[in-house]
Amino acid sequence: MLIYIVKRLLVAVPTLLAVLTVVFFFVRIAPGDPTFIILGDQASQQAIAAVHHELGLDRPMLVQYLDFMSTVLQGDLGNSLVTHRPIWNEVANVLPYTIELTLSALFIGVVLGLPLGIAAARHRNETLDYAARIFSLLGLSFPAFVSAIMLLLAFAIELHWFPVISEARTGDPLSRVSALVLPAVNLGLIMVAYVMRVARSSMLGVLGEDYIRTARSKGVPARVVIWRHALGNALIPVVTVVGLYLGVLIGNSVLTEIVFNRPGLGKLIVNSLNQRDYTMLEGLMVIYAFIIVIVNLLTDLTYGLVDPRVRQR
Amino acid sequence: MSEAQHPSLVVDGLTTAFRVEGRWYDAIRDVSFSVAKNETLALVGESGCGKSITALSIMGLVPKANGRITAGRVLLDGRDLVPLDETEMEKIRGNAISMIFQEPMTSLNPVLPIGFQVAEALRYHTALAGEAARARALALLEHVKIPSAARRFDDYPHQFSGGMRQRVMIAIALACSPQIILADEPTTALDVTIQAQVLALLAELKSETGMAMIFITHNLGVVASIADRVAVMYAGDLIEIAPVEELFEHPMHPYTEALLSSIPRVDRDAGDLKPIAGQVPPITAMPSGCRYADRCPLRVPRCTKMPPLVALAVDPKHRVRCWVRAAEESANA
């Protein structure tokens, strides 16, 4: 298992380097010049040249690239063009909110989606199965911002159970949790739909396998057959979907953070876009790419936990 | 080694139906036989003749979604298993009756260590738990001759060859010393040399424990080497049952005759092989009478009615389901 982890870590390194390279050239190719943001569009040629020199933009591309790579690899993402504060600080301020939102959505998705998918597979073509499938289709078809608004209307505005505007930046843990519930449920329900679907179909496949018949022929009780013999095998595709969907979840969290007015990475991205904060966007892209690489790494490591055949490779 | 002994398992009039496109069809009908302690009954026939369905019906493992036992009894020491519910069957499966399956490559759970899979059978049927179950499971693996079993106890199925996996399956089936073991083509998926080893192991274990065995195969060579009696199935009907030498020397049913003369032999030309003309009818178009009638050289009008399984006067241990042959034999007697 240790060798497997080391191998996966080594593979992640070139991926990350490639991502940094793409981000660097992507920002250079994108139209627009950051100097206009700093100086306004009436600036003189000398002023522009001076800023270019200050930002190092007059140097050859390759020198800029090597410089970018070495500073990023040292953990320095530079300063925001707008606030002039270090990007790391801006990100570190809001990152916990995005992490708590994503993890609670993931938790809701797995804790509800997995048993629902298993139950649907066990009761294939019965009422429970149909209900679960209709629910999951609804969950998959609703855009996150629509369901967010509906949740707000029902539970915040009509029922007053939760705050309309999340005062997430608070020291009081209870109000922080209460501000988290609706956004987490909003993202979590979509996750439930994904997890349920894949858990159901993978469970149906596994229940037809020979080794399930072997377990039953040993007299293993039905409950144990499902939860130990079938689930262990059915989890492999579920892990894949959860891993892939974490990327989508981070994208959906942008919309959710805006509708619920929560601080977070998504909110930061939209603000930087509005203010054309190029260095901030560059930094955020690096951070998102980093998160995705980490998630993929964790997904691969989870495979190793679930499937002994993967561990050996 | 005969039916005169107290039978361990009696199958009586067993009929199992499957649903095909909304309609129910009998996959096996009126199957009756018994197996005594210490006896090996071979169940032979070509693919799809209902051998495996017979075994799954005995085990109560017919898939509920589209299959069900519609008639008959399965008596284990006089107790009928057919009406038992799932919880009661769980106490019997792997305990009094166990089964070995055809595909060792897919019959073991890939994500559980093999030692665990053996110990699991003990956990639900015996008082053994924890270290005691582990020790007993290890002894079983050693008994079925898994090399360095202690070191390999926590290995996973993919680390074992097909023959070794089938040994593990045998260890699982033997774990609770069952009265009867159903072996569904246990050697078919294995190389010939490994086949011989597994057959020898099964024979050895059976003589040690005195259990009864139903050995399902389509390989008549294997039948000759392992069976005491043979039951021949065709298209869901049990058509002939006899002690092994008797069946090979005096096959009565025209299908059994044809089956025996379609075995390739080294001392004969391939041109002498007689394949059986025609095809087994599909399950949706089975005749209600003798299901072999369409391919049978002896066919008479009476064959549109299902013939009974009749014991021969010369040898009551030999029974055949054929109007023509039963009549000939009783006329001669």
Side-chain angles (χ1 to χ4, degrees):
Chain A
M1 190 66 192
L2 196 67
I3 298 166
Y4 175 72
I5 294 174
V6 172
K7 270 190 196 165
R8 298 312 305 164
L9 281 170
L10 287 179
V11 172
V13 171
T15 315
L16 216 53
L17 289 180
V19 165
L20 291 179
T21 308
V22 170
V23 167
F24 173 83
F25 285 105
F26 192 70
V27 170
R28 295 305 179 280
I29 291 165
D33 185 334
T35 37
F36 290 116
I37 314 287
I38 298 168
L39 299 171
D41 45 13
Q42 301 297 319
S44 68
Q45 285 297 325
Q46 287 91 336
I48 291 174
V51 171
H52 268 178
H53 183 72
E54 192 191 323
L55 296 176
L57 296 176
D58 53 350
R59 292 173 303 163
M61 197 63 110
L62 192 65
V63 176
Q64 287 187 44
Y65 171 67
L66 292 177
D67 187 46
F68 168 79
M69 293 298 267
S70 74
T71 47
V72 168
L73 290 178
Q74 283 165 35
D76 181 9
L77 291 173
N79 294 338
S80 156
L81 277 184
V82 177
T83 63
H84 303 291
R85 284 200 296 252
I87 289 169
W88 262 128
N89 290 6
E90 302 275 337
V91 169
N93 271 337
V94 297
L95 198 58
Y97 300 100
T98 298
I99 290 178
E100 74 181 13
L101 177 63
T102 313
L103 288 187
S104 11
L106 181 69
F107 179 76
I108 293 173
V110 173
V111 162
L112 291 183
L114 204 55
L116 211 59
I118 293 168
R122 289 186 71 181
H123 301 277
R124 188 184 192 178
N125 293 339
E126 293 171 27
T127 318
L128 176 74
D129 185 24
Y130 287 121
R133 280 153 72 184
I134 288 170
F135 166 77
S136 105
L137 203 62
L138 280 176
L140 296 181
S141 341
F142 260 85
F145 68 93
V146 176
S147 51
I149 290 168
M150 288 170 67
L151 283 175
L152 269 182
L153 280 174
F155 295 100
I157 293 173
E158 285 298 320
L159 294 169
H160 300 291
W161 288 359
F162 301 103
V164 179
I165 294 197
S166 309
E167 192 37 71
R169 286 181 199 274
T170 165
D172 176 20
L174 202 69
S175 63
R176 184 158 172 176
V177 168
S178 126
L180 180 62
V181 171
L182 282 187
V185 166
N186 184 48
L187 283 182
L189 284 183
I190 306 174
M191 193 76 184
V192 171
Y194 272 91
V195 172
M196 187 242 125
R197 266 181 105 80
V198 67
R200 174 184 178 273
S201 68
S202 118
M203 199 71 183
L204 276 180
V206 168
L207 286 178
E209 293 285 346
D210 288 349
Y211 51 79
I212 296 301
R213 194 179 56 186
T214 306
R216 296 188 61 207
S217 80
K218 284 193 279 192
V220 176
R223 182 176 39 81
V224 182
V225 171
I226 295 282
W227 290 98
R228 185 180 292 137
H229 287 262
L231 188 61
N233 289 281
L235 269 183
I236 298 163
V238 176
V239 170
T240 312
V241 163
V242 168
L244 281 178
Y245 188 71
L246 264 179
V248 183
L249 200 60
I250 292 166
N252 271 330
S253 70
V254 175
L255 293 167
T256 306
E257 280 166 5
I258 289 167
V259 174
F260 289 97
N261 196 26
R262 275 177 66 85
L265 278 186
K267 199 84 181 303
L268 202 54
I269 281 205
V270 175
N271 288 342
S272 331
L273 272 173
N274 287 338
Q275 298 169 337
R276 304 215 196 148
D277 191 342
Y278 284 104
T279 48
M280 181 67 116
L281 280 177
E282 200 173 58
L284 285 173
M285 272 199 263
V286 170
I287 285 168
Y288 266 90
F290 194 73
I291 292 176
I292 301 284
V293 168
I294 298 280
V295 164
N296 282 342
L297 189 67
L298 288 176
T299 310
D300 280 352
L301 294 181
T302 316
Y303 281 145
L305 282 181
V306 172
D307 190 342
R309 289 162 294 187
V310 174
R311 244 172 280 162
Q312 292 234 308
R313 263 181 240 144
Chain B
M1 297 235 180
S2 72
E3 281 182 281
Q5 284 186 353
H6 177 62
S8 187
L9 181 88
V10 177
V11 174
D12 179 25
L14 191 64
T15 302
T16 300
F18 276 82
R19 189 168 54 185
V20 181
E21 286 164 3
R23 289 190 56 192
W24 291 87
Y25 298 95
D26 289 345
I28 56 170
R29 46 175 197 176
D30 194 24
V31 171
S32 303
F33 59 82
S34 64
V35 204
K37 197 172 167 353
N38 222 352
E39 185 188 41
T40 299
L41 174 75
L43 208 53
V44 303
E46 52 200 287
S47 313
C49 70
K51 306 180 299 258
S52 296
I53 292 179
T54 305
L56 291 176
S57 301
I58 294 170
M59 292 291 286
L61 288 176
V62 173
K64 281 198 179 57
N66 50 8
R68 64 179 183 210
I69 296 173
T70 54
R73 297 181 303 164
V74 174
L75 302 171
L76 180 74
D77 283 339
R79 183 189 185 195
D80 189 1
L81 304 184
V82 174
L84 296 189
D85 68 21
E86 198 48 34
T87 327
E88 286 173 298
M89 273 314 282
E90 278 163 7
K91 290 181 196 143
I92 291 169
R93 284 200 288 258
N95 191 14
I97 308 186
S98 52
M99 186 157 175
I100 304 168
F101 297 96
Q102 180 172 357
E103 282 296 336
M105 302 311 277
T106 55
S107 292
L108 289 168
N109 195 322
V111 304
L112 298 174
I114 56 119
F116 174 88
Q117 297 191 51
V118 177
E120 202 180 24
L122 299 163
R123 173 178 316 184
Y124 297 107
H125 301 302
T126 67
L128 295 180
E131 279 306 306
R134 192 183 161 94
R136 173 84 183 110
L138 181 58
L140 281 161
L141 286 173
E142 279 163 356
H143 201 107
V144 297
K145 303 183 177 83
I146 302 274
S148 36
R151 196 168 49 77
R152 309 211 61 187
F153 192 85
D154 292 314
D155 280 357
Y156 290 89
H158 70 273
Q159 293 161 293
F160 289 80
S161 67
M164 283 301 142
R165 290 189 206 191
Q166 201 58 298
R167 285 171 191 267
V168 174
M169 285 296 297
I170 293 171
I172 291 174
L174 285 175
C176 302
S177 315
Q179 295 170 41
I180 177 159
I181 196 159
L182 306 180
D184 186 359
E185 309 231 15
T187 59
T188 306
L190 304 175
D191 292 341
V192 181
T193 49
I194 310 295
Q195 259 187 38
Q197 289 173 13
V198 170
L199 284 176
L201 175 68
L202 276 174
E204 185 187 323
L205 295 170
K206 198 186 72 96
S207 68
E208 277 171 20
T209 58
M211 63 187 171
M213 177 155 75
I214 298 178
F215 194 99
I216 296 174
T217 182
H218 62 258
N219 185 333
L220 292 165
V222 169
V223 171
S225 68
I226 197 165
D228 300 311
R229 283 189 304 138
V230 188
V232 183
M233 290 191 72
Y234 177 82
D237 288 339
L238 195 155
I239 51 153
E240 185 163 10
I241 184 166
V244 62
E245 301 84 8
E246 167 73 10
L247 188 102
F248 276 90
E249 280 160 30
H250 307 290
M252 290 297 284
H253 197 283
Y255 173 71
T256 313
E257 277 179 341
L259 195 65
L260 291 175
S261 59
S262 65
I263 307 172
R265 286 175 54 167
V266 185
D267 53 346
R268 289 199 196 140
D269 279 347
D272 291 342
L273 277 181
K274 292 182 203 142
I276 307 172
Q279 300 281 324
V280 182
I283 188 171
T284 51
M286 281 291 177
S288 60
C290 174
R291 289 179 166 180
Y292 188 61
D294 286 347
R295 303 168 79 179
C296 184
L298 308 178
R299 185 176 59 240
V300 293
R302 215 176 166 189
C303 295
T304 54
K305 273 178 61 190
M306 186 178 174
L309 192 62
V310 179
L312 303 188
V314 286
D315 183 358
K317 281 185 256 167
H318 193 163
R319 289 186 291 160
V320 65
R321 191 188 286 282
C322 176
W323 291 117
V324 179
R325 282 293 159 82
E328 279 173 12
E329 202 270 345
S330 63
N332 293 343

